[in-house]
Amino acid sequence: MRIVCIGCAPTTLGFAYRLNEIIKEGIEDVDDIELIVLEKEMKPGGLSGTIRDEHGFLWDMGGHITFSHNFPYYEKATKEAIKEWNNLERNCMVDLNYLYGESGINLVPYPAQFAVPLFPEETKRKCLTELKQRYEDQQNISQSSPTDFESWVLHHFGPSILEIFFKPYTKKVWTVDTSKMSCSWVGTRVAKLPREKLEELCEMGKEELK
């Protein structure tokens, strides 16, 4: 049997690791399996890869968080391949300067839905109104079944946060429109904003929020 993987990103690396593990342990008869990986770049990694330019600068191809808890064999593969890790505390920010109409950079904490209290007043008011409408309509929301990521965001956050953050961010990181992306993956990847958390954030000062 021939197995062809298109792209040598984390999922493929994890699959290859697991296949090799099965062969070594003799769990199943896989002697007749041929694994072919098709990758247009010279190195593996996909959007989780990093390249070095001619000046020595390192550039991440995409969001460099792989959520390895969803891919146990990829995590095992990376731990075996890399013996020494440089562990850093994650401090992720989003530049929403275009909302403020100011020059320079205006960073808010990631994910942006948790930074609503830092938005300009009019934008904040719209986002809070839409969020509160969804809290009050929880029964209908819980019974709905969004068919794509865009409808999922609309159901849980509203149109303002969709336009402000999720649409441009999704297009930048995944190169796909929110309306064309499945919502089956959101699970632990997209943090919802419970009413209690929103109320807590709204009571905090700007310095605390940042």
Side-chain angles (χ1 to χ4, degrees), residues 74-117:
Y74 170 67
E75 185 172 20
K76 290 177 69 175
T78 54
K79 285 183 176 179
E80 185 172 307
I82 303 170
K83 303 305 179 185
E84 295 184 11
W85 289 86
N86 179 25
N87 294 314
L88 302 173
E89 183 177 348
R90 186 184 183 194
N91 182 21
C92 192
M93 308 290 281
V94 182
D95 182 12
L96 292 180
N97 184 59
Y98 71 94
L99 285 180
Y100 300 83
E102 302 171 355
S103 60
I105 297 175
N106 204 316
L107 298 175
V108 300
Y110 174 91
Q113 60 267 34
F114 279 55
V116 169

Short mmCIF file of all heavy atoms in Angstrom, two decimals, residues 74-117:
data_model
loop_
_atom_site.label_atom_id
_atom_site.label_comp_id
_atom_site.label_asym_id
_atom_site.label_seq_id
_atom_site.Cartn_x
_atom_site.Cartn_y
_atom_site.Cartn_z
N TYR A 74 3.32 14.05 17.07
CA TYR A 74 4.19 15.15 16.64
C TYR A 74 5.00 15.66 17.82
O TYR A 74 6.20 15.94 17.70
CB TYR A 74 3.35 16.28 16.05
CG TYR A 74 4.13 17.55 15.80
CD1 TYR A 74 5.14 17.58 14.84
CD2 TYR A 74 3.89 18.70 16.54
CE1 TYR A 74 5.88 18.73 14.62
CE2 TYR A 74 4.63 19.85 16.33
CZ TYR A 74 5.62 19.86 15.36
OH TYR A 74 6.35 21.00 15.15
N GLU A 75 4.36 15.74 18.99
CA GLU A 75 5.07 16.18 20.19
C GLU A 75 6.20 15.21 20.54
O GLU A 75 7.31 15.62 20.89
CB GLU A 75 4.10 16.30 21.36
CG GLU A 75 4.73 16.88 22.61
CD GLU A 75 3.71 17.16 23.70
OE1 GLU A 75 2.61 16.58 23.64
OE2 GLU A 75 4.02 17.96 24.59
N LYS A 76 5.92 13.92 20.42
CA LYS A 76 6.96 12.91 20.70
C LYS A 76 8.10 13.04 19.69
O LYS A 76 9.28 12.91 20.05
CB LYS A 76 6.36 11.51 20.65
CG LYS A 76 5.42 11.20 21.80
CD LYS A 76 4.78 9.84 21.67
CE LYS A 76 5.78 8.72 21.86
NZ LYS A 76 5.12 7.39 21.84
N ALA A 77 7.75 13.29 18.44
CA ALA A 77 8.77 13.40 17.40
C ALA A 77 9.68 14.60 17.65
O ALA A 77 10.91 14.51 17.53
CB ALA A 77 8.11 13.52 16.02
N THR A 78 9.10 15.74 18.02
CA THR A 78 9.92 16.94 18.25
C THR A 78 10.79 16.78 19.49
O THR A 78 11.94 17.24 19.51
CB THR A 78 9.03 18.19 18.40
OG1 THR A 78 8.04 17.97 19.42
CG2 THR A 78 8.33 18.52 17.10
N LYS A 79 10.27 16.13 20.51
CA LYS A 79 11.07 15.93 21.73
C LYS A 79 12.25 15.00 21.46
O LYS A 79 13.32 15.15 22.06
CB LYS A 79 10.19 15.38 22.85
CG LYS A 79 9.27 16.42 23.47
CD LYS A 79 8.47 15.85 24.63
CE LYS A 79 7.63 16.95 25.28
NZ LYS A 79 6.82 16.43 26.40
N GLU A 80 12.05 14.05 20.58
CA GLU A 80 13.14 13.14 20.25
C GLU A 80 14.16 13.81 19.34
O GLU A 80 15.36 13.57 19.44
CB GLU A 80 12.59 11.89 19.56
CG GLU A 80 13.64 10.83 19.29
CD GLU A 80 13.04 9.53 18.81
OE1 GLU A 80 12.13 9.01 19.48
OE2 GLU A 80 13.47 9.04 17.75
N ALA A 81 13.68 14.68 18.45
CA ALA A 81 14.57 15.33 17.49
C ALA A 81 15.38 16.46 18.11
O ALA A 81 16.51 16.72 17.72
CB ALA A 81 13.75 15.86 16.31
N ILE A 82 14.78 17.15 19.09
CA ILE A 82 15.43 18.31 19.70
C ILE A 82 15.69 18.02 21.16
O ILE A 82 14.75 17.85 21.94
CB ILE A 82 14.55 19.58 19.55
CG1 ILE A 82 14.24 19.83 18.06
CG2 ILE A 82 15.23 20.79 20.17
CD1 ILE A 82 13.21 20.89 17.82
N LYS A 83 16.95 17.99 21.54
CA LYS A 83 17.31 17.60 22.90
C LYS A 83 17.26 18.77 23.88
O LYS A 83 16.95 18.59 25.05
CB LYS A 83 18.71 16.97 22.90
CG LYS A 83 18.85 15.77 21.97
CD LYS A 83 17.82 14.68 22.28
CE LYS A 83 17.97 13.50 21.33
NZ LYS A 83 16.90 12.49 21.54
N GLU A 84 17.59 19.96 23.41
CA GLU A 84 17.62 21.11 24.31
C GLU A 84 16.60 22.14 23.83
O GLU A 84 16.61 22.56 22.68
CB GLU A 84 19.01 21.74 24.34
CG GLU A 84 20.07 20.82 24.95
CD GLU A 84 21.42 21.51 25.07
OE1 GLU A 84 21.46 22.74 24.89
OE2 GLU A 84 22.40 20.81 25.35
N TRP A 85 15.73 22.55 24.75
CA TRP A 85 14.67 23.49 24.41
C TRP A 85 14.91 24.84 25.10
O TRP A 85 15.38 24.90 26.22
CB TRP A 85 13.31 22.95 24.86
CG TRP A 85 12.85 21.80 24.04
CD1 TRP A 85 13.15 20.48 24.22
CD2 TRP A 85 12.02 21.85 22.88
NE1 TRP A 85 12.55 19.71 23.26
CE2 TRP A 85 11.85 20.53 22.42
CE3 TRP A 85 11.40 22.89 22.19
CZ2 TRP A 85 11.09 20.22 21.30
CZ3 TRP A 85 10.64 22.58 21.08
CH2 TRP A 85 10.49 21.26 20.64
N ASN A 86 14.57 25.89 24.39
CA ASN A 86 14.60 27.22 24.97
C ASN A 86 13.16 27.61 25.28
O ASN A 86 12.42 28.05 24.41
CB ASN A 86 15.22 28.22 23.99
CG ASN A 86 15.26 29.63 24.55
OD1 ASN A 86 15.27 29.81 25.76
ND2 ASN A 86 15.28 30.62 23.67
N ASN A 87 12.75 27.39 26.52
CA ASN A 87 11.36 27.63 26.89
C ASN A 87 11.15 29.09 27.29
O ASN A 87 11.83 29.60 28.18
CB ASN A 87 10.96 26.72 28.06
CG ASN A 87 10.95 25.26 27.66
OD1 ASN A 87 10.42 24.89 26.62
ND2 ASN A 87 11.56 24.41 28.48
N LEU A 88 10.21 29.73 26.62
CA LEU A 88 9.90 31.13 26.90
C LEU A 88 8.44 31.27 27.30
O LEU A 88 7.58 30.55 26.80
CB LEU A 88 10.16 31.99 25.65
CG LEU A 88 11.58 31.96 25.08
CD1 LEU A 88 11.62 32.73 23.76
CD2 LEU A 88 12.57 32.57 26.07
N GLU A 89 8.18 32.20 28.20
CA GLU A 89 6.79 32.47 28.58
C GLU A 89 6.11 33.21 27.44
O GLU A 89 6.63 34.20 26.93
CB GLU A 89 6.74 33.31 29.86
CG GLU A 89 5.32 33.56 30.35
CD GLU A 89 5.29 34.34 31.65
OE1 GLU A 89 6.37 34.49 32.27
OE2 GLU A 89 4.20 34.79 32.03
N ARG A 90 4.96 32.73 27.05
CA ARG A 90 4.26 33.33 25.92
C ARG A 90 3.63 34.66 26.31
O ARG A 90 2.92 34.76 27.31
CB ARG A 90 3.16 32.37 25.43
CG ARG A 90 2.47 32.85 24.16
CD ARG A 90 1.35 31.90 23.80
NE ARG A 90 0.71 32.27 22.55
CZ ARG A 90 -0.45 31.77 22.14
NH1 ARG A 90 -1.06 30.87 22.87
NH2 ARG A 90 -0.98 32.15 21.00
N ASN A 91 3.92 35.68 25.54
CA ASN A 91 3.33 37.00 25.74
C ASN A 91 2.92 37.53 24.38
O ASN A 91 3.67 38.24 23.72
CB ASN A 91 4.31 37.95 26.42
CG ASN A 91 3.70 39.31 26.69
OD1 ASN A 91 2.48 39.45 26.74
ND2 ASN A 91 4.54 40.31 26.84
N CYS A 92 1.75 37.15 23.96
CA CYS A 92 1.31 37.43 22.59
C CYS A 92 0.42 38.67 22.56
O CYS A 92 -0.51 38.80 23.35
CB CYS A 92 0.55 36.21 22.05
SG CYS A 92 0.26 36.27 20.29
N MET A 93 0.73 39.57 21.64
CA MET A 93 -0.03 40.81 21.50
C MET A 93 -0.50 40.97 20.06
O MET A 93 0.06 40.38 19.13
CB MET A 93 0.83 42.01 21.90
CG MET A 93 1.49 41.90 23.26
SD MET A 93 0.33 42.01 24.63
CE MET A 93 0.06 43.78 24.71
N VAL A 94 -1.54 41.76 19.88
CA VAL A 94 -2.10 42.02 18.56
C VAL A 94 -2.07 43.53 18.31
O VAL A 94 -2.45 44.31 19.19
CB VAL A 94 -3.56 41.53 18.46
CG1 VAL A 94 -4.11 41.78 17.06
CG2 VAL A 94 -3.65 40.05 18.81
N ASP A 95 -1.58 43.92 17.15
CA ASP A 95 -1.56 45.34 16.80
C ASP A 95 -2.88 45.72 16.14
O ASP A 95 -3.16 45.32 15.01
CB ASP A 95 -0.39 45.64 15.86
CG ASP A 95 -0.30 47.12 15.50
OD1 ASP A 95 -0.99 47.93 16.16
OD2 ASP A 95 0.44 47.46 14.56
N LEU A 96 -3.71 46.47 16.86
CA LEU A 96 -4.99 46.92 16.32
C LEU A 96 -4.96 48.43 16.11
O LEU A 96 -5.95 49.13 16.32
CB LEU A 96 -6.13 46.54 17.27
CG LEU A 96 -6.43 45.04 17.40
CD1 LEU A 96 -7.58 44.82 18.36
CD2 LEU A 96 -6.76 44.42 16.04
N ASN A 97 -3.82 48.93 15.68
CA ASN A 97 -3.63 50.37 15.53
C ASN A 97 -4.67 51.00 14.61
O ASN A 97 -5.09 52.14 14.82
CB ASN A 97 -2.23 50.64 15.00
CG ASN A 97 -1.95 52.13 14.92
OD1 ASN A 97 -2.00 52.82 15.92
ND2 ASN A 97 -1.68 52.62 13.73
N TYR A 98 -5.10 50.27 13.58
CA TYR A 98 -6.04 50.84 12.62
C TYR A 98 -7.37 51.24 13.27
O TYR A 98 -8.11 52.07 12.75
CB TYR A 98 -6.28 49.87 11.46
CG TYR A 98 -7.08 48.65 11.82
CD1 TYR A 98 -8.46 48.62 11.64
CD2 TYR A 98 -6.47 47.52 12.35
CE1 TYR A 98 -9.20 47.50 11.97
CE2 TYR A 98 -7.20 46.40 12.69
CZ TYR A 98 -8.57 46.40 12.50
OH TYR A 98 -9.30 45.28 12.84
N LEU A 99 -7.67 50.65 14.43
CA LEU A 99 -8.91 51.00 15.13
C LEU A 99 -8.84 52.39 15.76
O LEU A 99 -9.85 53.05 15.95
CB LEU A 99 -9.21 49.99 16.24
CG LEU A 99 -9.73 48.61 15.86
CD1 LEU A 99 -9.96 47.79 17.12
CD2 LEU A 99 -11.02 48.72 15.06
N TYR A 100 -7.63 52.80 16.09
CA TYR A 100 -7.45 54.02 16.87
C TYR A 100 -7.15 55.26 16.01
O TYR A 100 -7.19 56.37 16.50
CB TYR A 100 -6.32 53.82 17.89
CG TYR A 100 -6.60 52.70 18.87
CD1 TYR A 100 -6.32 51.38 18.53
CD2 TYR A 100 -7.15 52.96 20.11
CE1 TYR A 100 -6.58 50.34 19.42
CE2 TYR A 100 -7.42 51.93 21.00
CZ TYR A 100 -7.13 50.62 20.65
OH TYR A 100 -7.39 49.60 21.52
N GLY A 101 -6.81 55.04 14.75
CA GLY A 101 -6.52 56.16 13.87
C GLY A 101 -5.29 56.94 14.30
O GLY A 101 -5.22 58.15 14.12
N GLU A 102 -4.32 56.23 14.89
CA GLU A 102 -3.10 56.88 15.35
C GLU A 102 -1.90 56.28 14.63
O GLU A 102 -1.95 55.17 14.11
CB GLU A 102 -2.94 56.68 16.86
CG GLU A 102 -4.10 57.21 17.68
CD GLU A 102 -4.00 56.80 19.15
OE1 GLU A 102 -3.07 56.02 19.47
OE2 GLU A 102 -4.84 57.23 19.94
N SER A 103 -0.81 57.02 14.62
CA SER A 103 0.42 56.49 14.03
C SER A 103 1.11 55.58 15.03
O SER A 103 0.88 55.66 16.23
CB SER A 103 1.36 57.63 13.63
OG SER A 103 1.69 58.41 14.77
N GLY A 104 1.97 54.71 14.52
CA GLY A 104 2.70 53.82 15.40
C GLY A 104 1.97 52.51 15.64
O GLY A 104 1.13 52.09 14.84
N ILE A 105 2.29 51.87 16.75
CA ILE A 105 1.75 50.55 17.07
C ILE A 105 0.87 50.65 18.32
O ILE A 105 1.23 51.33 19.28
CB ILE A 105 2.89 49.54 17.31
CG1 ILE A 105 3.70 49.35 16.03
CG2 ILE A 105 2.34 48.20 17.79
CD1 ILE A 105 4.92 48.47 16.20
N ASN A 106 -0.26 49.99 18.28
CA ASN A 106 -1.16 49.98 19.44
C ASN A 106 -1.48 48.52 19.76
O ASN A 106 -2.36 47.91 19.16
CB ASN A 106 -2.44 50.76 19.14
CG ASN A 106 -3.10 51.26 20.41
OD1 ASN A 106 -3.20 50.53 21.38
ND2 ASN A 106 -3.54 52.51 20.39
N LEU A 107 -0.74 47.97 20.70
CA LEU A 107 -0.85 46.55 21.01
C LEU A 107 -1.90 46.29 22.08
O LEU A 107 -2.00 47.02 23.07
CB LEU A 107 0.50 46.01 21.49
CG LEU A 107 1.66 46.08 20.49
CD1 LEU A 107 2.95 45.62 21.16
CD2 LEU A 107 1.37 45.23 19.26
N VAL A 108 -2.66 45.22 21.87
CA VAL A 108 -3.61 44.74 22.88
C VAL A 108 -3.33 43.26 23.09
O VAL A 108 -2.78 42.59 22.22
CB VAL A 108 -5.08 44.95 22.45
CG1 VAL A 108 -5.36 46.43 22.22
CG2 VAL A 108 -5.42 44.13 21.21
N PRO A 109 -3.69 42.72 24.25
CA PRO A 109 -3.42 41.30 24.52
C PRO A 109 -4.15 40.38 23.55
O PRO A 109 -5.26 40.68 23.10
CB PRO A 109 -3.93 41.11 25.95
CG PRO A 109 -3.95 42.48 26.54
CD PRO A 109 -4.28 43.40 25.41
N TYR A 110 -3.52 39.28 23.23
CA TYR A 110 -4.14 38.23 22.42
C TYR A 110 -4.72 37.18 23.37
O TYR A 110 -4.10 36.88 24.39
CB TYR A 110 -3.07 37.60 21.52
CG TYR A 110 -3.53 36.40 20.74
CD1 TYR A 110 -4.07 36.55 19.47
CD2 TYR A 110 -3.44 35.11 21.28
CE1 TYR A 110 -4.50 35.45 18.75
CE2 TYR A 110 -3.88 34.01 20.56
CZ TYR A 110 -4.40 34.19 19.30
OH TYR A 110 -4.83 33.10 18.59
N PRO A 111 -5.90 36.62 23.08
CA PRO A 111 -6.74 36.86 21.91
C PRO A 111 -7.52 38.17 22.03
O PRO A 111 -7.86 38.60 23.13
CB PRO A 111 -7.68 35.66 21.90
CG PRO A 111 -7.80 35.26 23.34
CD PRO A 111 -6.45 35.53 23.94
N ALA A 112 -7.80 38.78 20.90
CA ALA A 112 -8.37 40.12 20.88
C ALA A 112 -9.74 40.20 21.53
O ALA A 112 -10.13 41.26 22.02
CB ALA A 112 -8.45 40.63 19.44
N GLN A 113 -10.49 39.10 21.56
CA GLN A 113 -11.81 39.15 22.18
C GLN A 113 -11.71 39.43 23.68
O GLN A 113 -12.65 39.89 24.31
CB GLN A 113 -12.61 37.86 21.93
CG GLN A 113 -11.98 36.58 22.46
CD GLN A 113 -11.13 35.88 21.42
OE1 GLN A 113 -10.51 36.52 20.59
NE2 GLN A 113 -11.12 34.55 21.44
N PHE A 114 -10.53 39.16 24.27
CA PHE A 114 -10.32 39.45 25.69
C PHE A 114 -9.84 40.89 25.90
O PHE A 114 -9.65 41.31 27.03
CB PHE A 114 -9.30 38.48 26.28
CG PHE A 114 -9.88 37.14 26.63
CD1 PHE A 114 -10.55 36.38 25.69
CD2 PHE A 114 -9.77 36.63 27.92
CE1 PHE A 114 -11.10 35.15 26.01
CE2 PHE A 114 -10.31 35.40 28.25
CZ PHE A 114 -10.98 34.66 27.30
N ALA A 115 -9.62 41.60 24.80
CA ALA A 115 -9.13 42.98 24.90
C ALA A 115 -10.21 44.00 24.57
O ALA A 115 -9.91 45.18 24.40
CB ALA A 115 -7.94 43.17 23.95
N VAL A 116 -11.46 43.56 24.50
CA VAL A 116 -12.56 44.47 24.16
C VAL A 116 -12.57 45.74 25.02
O VAL A 116 -12.78 46.84 24.50
CB VAL A 116 -13.92 43.73 24.25
CG1 VAL A 116 -15.08 44.72 24.15
CG2 VAL A 116 -14.03 42.69 23.15
N PRO A 117 -12.33 45.65 26.35
CA PRO A 117 -12.35 46.87 27.16
C PRO A 117 -11.30 47.90 26.75
O PRO A 117 -11.39 49.06 27.15
CB PRO A 117 -12.08 46.35 28.58
CG PRO A 117 -12.58 44.94 28.56
CD PRO A 117 -12.21 44.44 27.19
#
